[in-house]
Amino acid sequence: MDKVLNVLLVDDHKIVIDGIKSMLHGNKYFKVTGFALNGAEALSMIQTAETSFDIVITDIFMPGMSGTDLCHAIKQFNSQIKVLVLSMHNHVEYVKAAIDADADGYMLKTIGQSELLQALQAI
């Protein structure tokens, strides 16, 4: 990887956003350049941001627009943006819904920093 990738964090729990920001702070490949507390806010940021986002990390369940609906909308807007769904739900129907929405990855919130970095590098 020869450039820093801009990451948008989307979760309705600010502590989760703060935790991921902390994990990625100082990483030479990934930089958190935005966060949103729901899908609609995230989509608006993606559509109007001066700097484009390369990766979106999103929760699956949020008020208003779900993570899968957000993923589908992102891919309609710009299919080059990678989406990693980060969820506490390990049921097959949620994984299938993320895949059907063209998510690039699905990870459980039980992962640690090294697994998150591996997932981001993989997508």
Side-chain angles (χ1 to χ4, degrees):
M1 225 180 301
D2 47 335
K3 79 170 202 158
V4 176
L5 299 177
N6 293 317
V7 178
L8 173 63
L9 303 178
V10 188
D11 198 296
D12 57 329
H13 297 98
K14 183 79 167 61
I15 196 162
V16 173
I17 290 172
D18 290 345
I20 297 170
K21 280 170 61 175
S22 179
M23 284 184 188
L24 296 179
H25 180 76
N27 185 285
K28 63 182 179 178
Y29 301 116
F30 306 104
K31 181 180 180 184
V32 176
T33 54
F35 72 89
L37 297 173
N38 60 62
E41 181 183 356
L43 186 58
S44 176
M45 289 176 70
I46 290 166
Q47 293 172 335
T48 61
E50 290 180 20
T51 303
S52 64
F53 297 103
D54 301 297
I55 299 174
V56 174
I57 301 174
T58 184
D59 191 6
I60 200 163
F61 287 111
M62 296 176 289
M65 178 183 281
S66 72
T68 51
D69 289 342
L70 173 62
C71 180
H72 183 74
I74 289 170
K75 295 298 185 168
Q76 292 293 314
F77 177 74
N78 180 347
S79 64
Q80 298 302 308
I81 298 173
K82 303 297 183 187
V83 179
L84 175 64
V85 174
L86 192 60
S87 177
M88 63 182 226
H89 300 284
N90 64 353
H91 303 289
V92 69
E93 63 266 18
Y94 300 123
V95 177
K96 184 177 178 336
I99 291 168
D100 289 346
D102 292 327
D104 298 286
Y106 189 102
M107 300 289 294
L108 295 176
K109 287 183 176 178
T110 56
I111 64 170
Q113 182 178 14
S114 62
E115 293 92 352
L116 177 62
L117 291 173
Q118 287 174 353
L120 292 175
Q121 289 170 351
I123 64 170

